[in-house]
Each structure stands twice: as structure tokens, then as C-alpha cells.
Amino acid sequence: MESQHELEELAIKLYNIDAIKFGDFITKTGLKTPVYFDLRVIVSYPDVMELISTLLHVTAIKGKDFDHLCGVPYTALPIATLLSVQVKKSMLLRRKEAKSYGTKKMIEGHYKVGETCLIIEDVITSGSSVLETTQDLRKEGLKVNEAVIILDREQGGSENLARHEVQVKSLFTMTNLIEILVKHNKINIDTANNVHSYIKETHAPKIVKTQDRVLLSYEKRAELASNAVAKRLLTIMATKKTNLCLSVDLTSASNILDVLEKVGEHICLVKTHVDIIEDFTTDFISSLKSLAKRFNFLILEDRKYADIGNTVALQYLKGIYKVAEWADCVTVHSLPGEGIIKAIASCNGVNSQGIFLIAEMSSEGNLITGDYINETVKIAEKYSSLLTGFVCQNRDTFKNPGLIQLTPGVQLESSKDNFGQIYNTPEKVMLEKGADVVVVGRGIIAAKSPETEVIKYKEALWKNYMKRVSGKME
Ligand code: S5P
């Protein structure tokens, strides 16, 4: 087959059926464009469908070694179907939404881990749709390294995909499509020049490869953090080589100070419940602060604020405890909505505010749902510079590597307490659950010798942190 001749024939047909239009258009994202493609119409023209699949077969697919092909929903689905029959290779279907019942599978069809899949798409601009399909296929263990496209708009899509190890092969680039249409007098030189300068000036945003947060070192993440407390905490963790937070749930001020004197060098953070202390004084706070300075750890008051913003601001600043004056960070429920974050951030005179937003809890039967978690993470995205991180239990809860996952519910021995607390091992929270800072309370403070126990926890956690950043998780 004379492919150049057929390509020209296809370009003309696409123009004639209004799959390519020239004029002043506004794109989905609100940008002006002098050229518009709508390849959805091709399903009404069997001759165009046939020509496209034959051309894709001959010019882009023949001789390639692959096990499956998968069209990006929806325009490319019928083309992928035709190709699958033509080249006698299995096709996979990617859902746009996971089914809400049954298997929740994103990919339909029969396949095995390690098999290769070729992607089929109609037009690429930024490459983001191809990338979404690629990522879903890769999650299933399929290898995806090539995408076959009808038209590359040359606005950064193939570079974005190359950054994610997907090579693009297209039937047309915008430049050669325009050349063909000029050659066949479908458009004039002015229109062609207009399109050329548009391509030059209008580039899709770069899609950089995001690295899984849990594979990055704490040093690297300190650089990525925008909240000052998160930066300090990650730096302390990297310098002291510990991600252990001690929860000092004791009711006597002197007992708290005694324990910290013994274990301070092994922790990055101390977590207090100041309202359980029976002999609270401002002297206690001064001693706590001087221990924090001496041993280089931060202080988290686990107050779990949950009221309207105005009340929370008063609770944070006033009363007997004056938390804002001494705590580096506090825990906050997302239940009342984003006003609670704004309220804490608005407290003047507080030098460094850190907020851990509670996205999940460790206790059995807690009422937090998937939707609640998603909405909590959305609030956090809006206020990421005010947030130090999340109190949560799972690595998939959030992605931002500049935020910290604080995970309580950890013990070496027990699996539960009598009131619904659920415990996981240090290995499990570090390798499976994605914890960054791990909270241990009774596992250390109720032990016969907290000073011996703290080292066991610190070492078990750090060993698993090293394992995960070295990429030896599986
Ligand atoms: O979901 C949570 C959130 C928190 S902050 N589950 C928790 O257990 N916590 C706190 O972590 C809890 O208030 C307690 O202070 C600490 C766990 O203590 P442990 O003795 O069970 O290790």
C-alpha cells in the first residue's frame, strides 16, 4: 500500500466530514484555537474507519510485538476494536469509572501480569488521557510503552508521555496534516501560518513524573514541604534518624518529664494530651520546651479540635493551657469544614503553626467513611502550606510528598486494647500503610523500661524506612 497517498486521502476525507475545522474556537479549557478536531464523527463513515485502521496497522503497528491493545475511552474504542480484529490481537477495555458493585475492576478482558499492551488514541494534546489509561493498565501489572495515535497536535503531549516511558507513533502531526491540506487546496497559506504560530505559542502544561511519596527520603521531602513545621520535622527525622513520636499519655507532669529525659534522644516528636495532666503549670511547659530544645524534637498537642472556627481559635489561644504559645503543631478534625483551618491560621502572634488534619482513625468501628476521607484531603489540597500532614492509616489516603503521614495504633506485641484501639506492627505501618511518623504510646510508656523499649521501636521503624526508600519493598 502506498501509505503517503492513503494518508493524503485520509486527511482530505477528515476535512470533508468536518472532523477538522478551521476558524476561531474555544477549547474545553477555555483557550482560543484556530483549529478544531472532532474525531467522534468518524463512526458515521465506515470508509474513514476502514482507512484509519488500515493505515494504523500498516504504518504504526505491523511488526510490533505486543499481547493486547487498548483504546482510550471513548473515541478510540471503535478504532481499537477494528484493529484488534484486523491484527488478531486481544483487546482490553478500560472503564472510565470503576464499577460501584461487584469486582470494581478498571480493566476488562483476560490478561496476565507482565504482558504488553499497546495504546490506541485519536488525538493527543497534553497526553493526559493516554497517561490515565497507561497508569490503570500498569496498576494491573501490564507493560505499557507505546501509544499509537491518529493525530499529534505537537503541543507537548508526546514529550509528556516520553517522560512516563510511553513512546508515541502518530499517523499525522499537526504540521504534516496542514501541509497536506494546503497541497490539496483545502486551506490557504494564511490559515496554515496561523495554525503554525498557534502550535509554537500554545503548549500544554508539562506533566512531570510524580514519585510515590513513600519511596522518597525524608531529606528530599523536607525540600518539597511548604509548611514550615513539616520542613522542620522532616529535617529532624533525617538528622536524628528516627521517625518515632512518643505519645506521653500520663497524668503527672513530673512523670512526663522523667520519661522524656530518658527517651528524648530517640524521638522526633512528642505528642501530648495536656488536658489529662492533673498538676499542669506553666513551669511544666517551660521544662517541656527546654527538653524539646535540648533533644531536638517537636511538640504536638493532640487536642483534636472539632468545633466552629471561632471557638477553636479561642480554645487554641486562651484558657489555662494557651496551646498556641508552646505547641509546634496540633491535631484538628475536618468535621466542621475548612473554617477550622482558617481559624488556627488566623491566630496572630503564633510563630510556627502546624496542623495535622485527621483523615482516618485507628479505633474499631469509627464512623469515618471513604467520602469523608476524600473531602478531608480536598480541604488539605487547598491549604497545603498551612498543613503539616494527616493523621491517617493508609498510604493511598494522600499523595503530596510535602505532607507527613502521622500514624498511631502501633505496638510490637498487642493487636488491640480493651476500648477498640487497633494495633499494627512497625513493619506493617511502614511498608504497607505508608506511615511517615509513627505514634507509640503505651507500647513504650507502660513498658517496664521505656528507655530500652524506645530503642526497639526506633530501630524497627528505621530499618523498615530504609527498606522502603531503597526500593526493596516487595
Ligand atoms: O486515630 C487515632 C488518632 C490518634 S491521635 N488513634 C489514636 O490512637 N490516636 C492517639 O494516639 C491517641 O489519642 C493516643 O494518644 C495515641 C495512641 O496511644 P497508644 O497507647 O494506643 O499507642
Side-chain angles (χ1 to χ4, degrees):
M1 179 176 140
E2 267 271 357
S3 57
Q4 183 55 32
H5 175 75
E6 310 280 336
L7 270 177
E8 293 189 14
E9 184 189 337
L10 176 60
I12 294 163
K13 282 192 171 182
L14 290 174
Y15 179 83
N16 289 342
I17 65 171
D18 270 353
I20 315 167
K21 290 187 232 177
F22 296 88
D24 287 325
F25 304 98
I26 304 287
T27 65
K28 262 191 290 185
T29 49
L31 296 173
K32 270 188 152 187
T33 165
V35 56
Y36 182 79
F37 296 92
D38 182 3
L39 266 61
R40 283 168 297 191
V41 300
I42 61 176
V43 289
S44 305
Y45 303 90
D47 57 325
V48 175
M49 293 291 281
E50 191 177 20
L51 192 51
I52 288 177
S53 65
T54 310
L55 272 168
L56 286 173
H57 182 196
V58 174
T59 63
I61 297 183
K62 222 176 185 170
K64 275 197 188 353
D65 191 19
F66 62 95
D67 300 301
H68 309 273
L69 40 82
C70 177
V72 176
Y74 289 103
T75 314
L77 294 186
I79 301 165
T81 315
L82 282 177
L83 275 169
S84 151
V85 174
Q86 204 166 349
V87 302
K88 306 223 163 8
K89 290 276 183 184
S90 115
M91 183 169 102
L92 299 173
L93 262 185
R94 174 191 167 243
R95 291 181 174 279
K96 277 209 118 169
E97 319 280 338
K99 282 196 285 186
S100 55
Y101 57 91
T103 56
K104 294 233 166 113
K105 273 179 91 169
M106 287 301 283
I107 307 295
E108 302 288 353
H110 286 169
Y111 54 87
K112 290 197 192 86
V113 169
E115 288 179 338
T116 49
C117 184
L118 191 70
I119 306 244
I120 313 292
E121 174 64 311
D122 60 340
V123 180
I124 58 162
T125 308
S126 69
S128 63
S129 303
V130 170
L131 200 56
E132 273 173 30
T133 297
T134 302
Q135 281 162 345
D136 277 344
L137 291 163
R138 285 179 177 166
K139 271 187 207 157
E140 295 298 311
L142 287 154
K143 287 188 193 142
V144 182
N145 296 102
E146 281 177 293
V148 169
I149 315 287
I150 301 174
L151 171 78
D152 179 353
R153 290 183 58 124
E154 297 174 290
Q155 288 175 295
S158 48
E159 290 82 355
N160 275 338
L161 289 168
R163 265 183 223 115
H164 294 80
E165 288 86 39
V166 179
Q167 300 310 315
V168 170
K169 173 93 182 131
S170 60
L171 281 186
F172 300 107
T173 58
M174 190 105 101
T175 310
N176 72 23
L177 181 68
I178 297 299
E179 266 169 24
I180 297 171
L181 294 177
V182 171
K183 179 176 161 192
H184 291 273
N185 297 319
K186 294 290 176 190
I187 56 171
N188 61 31
I189 289 287
D190 286 349
T191 308
N193 287 340
N194 212 359
V195 174
H196 285 312
S197 45
Y198 162 76
I199 305 173
K200 255 197 192 151
E201 286 159 17
T202 324
H203 271 259
K206 262 194 187 172
I207 307 175
V208 290
K209 206 169 169 184
T210 51
Q211 249 195 318
D212 193 345
R213 120 184 108 81
V214 302
L215 301 179
L216 290 173
S217 69
Y218 296 140
E219 285 97 328
K220 186 97 217 132
R221 292 179 54 191
E223 284 169 30
L224 299 172
S226 51
N227 174 257
V229 178
K231 240 183 216 312
R232 277 171 63 206
L233 185 52
L234 286 160
T235 309
I236 291 173
M237 289 154 73
T239 335
K240 287 180 73 175
K241 297 198 180 347
T242 175
N243 62 333
L244 177 60
C245 163
L246 182 69
S247 185
V248 278
D249 300 341
L250 297 164
T251 53
S252 133
S254 56
N255 287 351
I256 293 176
L257 299 173
D258 281 351
V259 171
L260 288 176
E261 189 72 56
K262 291 179 190 145
V263 306
E265 65 180 291
H266 303 294
I267 62 175
C268 59
L269 183 70
V270 65
K271 188 174 80 62
T272 55
H273 282 291
V274 77
D275 51 0
I276 66 172
I277 302 173
E278 289 179 309
D279 51 351
F280 176 86
T281 56
T282 49
D283 282 352
F284 163 71
I285 294 299
S286 314
S287 308
L288 178 65
K289 281 175 75 175
S290 79
L291 282 167
K293 196 164 175 207
R294 173 145 63 96
F295 290 117
N296 192 23
F297 58 74
L298 299 187
I299 305 170
L300 166 65
E301 165 53 22
D302 188 11
R303 175 62 179 76
K304 295 192 181 67
Y305 296 106
D307 214 318
I308 59 163
N310 186 60
T311 305
V312 167
L314 293 170
Q315 291 174 316
Y316 179 53
L317 282 170
K318 309 282 179 184
I320 329 169
Y321 302 118
K322 304 202 182 359
V323 173
E325 289 178 15
W326 52 269
D328 298 294
C329 40
V330 289
T331 50
V332 164
H333 278 294
S334 54
L335 183 74
E338 62 188 62
I340 195 164
I341 296 180
K342 286 195 214 155
I344 294 203
S346 74
C347 294
N348 294 328
V350 181
N351 40 20
S352 74
Q353 294 138 334
I355 298 173
F356 276 99
L357 200 57
I358 299 163
E360 288 170 290
M361 290 200 68
S362 62
S363 47
E364 201 165 32
N366 71 74
L367 303 182
I368 292 177
T369 61
D371 282 346
Y372 183 94
I373 298 169
N374 290 340
E375 293 305 314
T376 303
V377 174
K378 269 194 209 152
I379 295 181
E381 277 161 11
K382 233 170 130 182
Y383 295 97
S384 65
S385 65
L386 300 173
L387 286 187
T388 308
F390 293 96
V391 176
C392 67
Q393 295 287 323
N394 287 294
R395 68 183 277 178
D396 295 333
T397 304
F398 71 98
K399 291 202 162 50
N400 185 343
L403 295 174
I404 297 172
Q405 175 175 336
L406 185 90
T407 301
V410 174
Q411 276 212 14
L412 286 165
E413 310 294 342
S414 324
S415 61
K416 270 184 180 193
D417 73 2
N418 295 330
F419 301 116
Q421 172 74 307
I422 299 173
Y423 290 116
N424 288 300
T425 60
E427 182 179 6
K428 187 159 181 189
V429 288
M430 290 305 292
L431 298 188
E432 282 175 39
K433 292 181 156 282
D436 293 317
V437 174
V438 170
V439 177
V440 179
R442 286 163 288 177
I444 295 172
I445 55 170
K448 268 200 197 104
S449 160
E451 55 273 48
T452 323
E453 213 58 21
V454 76
I455 296 171
K456 284 193 207 157
Y457 278 91
K458 174 178 95 163
E459 287 179 351
L461 293 169
W462 199 255
K463 185 176 87 189
N464 286 299
Y465 160 72
M466 293 303 285
K467 204 168 179 178
R468 84 181 193 191
V469 290
S470 67
K472 291 184 191 135
M473 305 238 299
E474 269 76 40

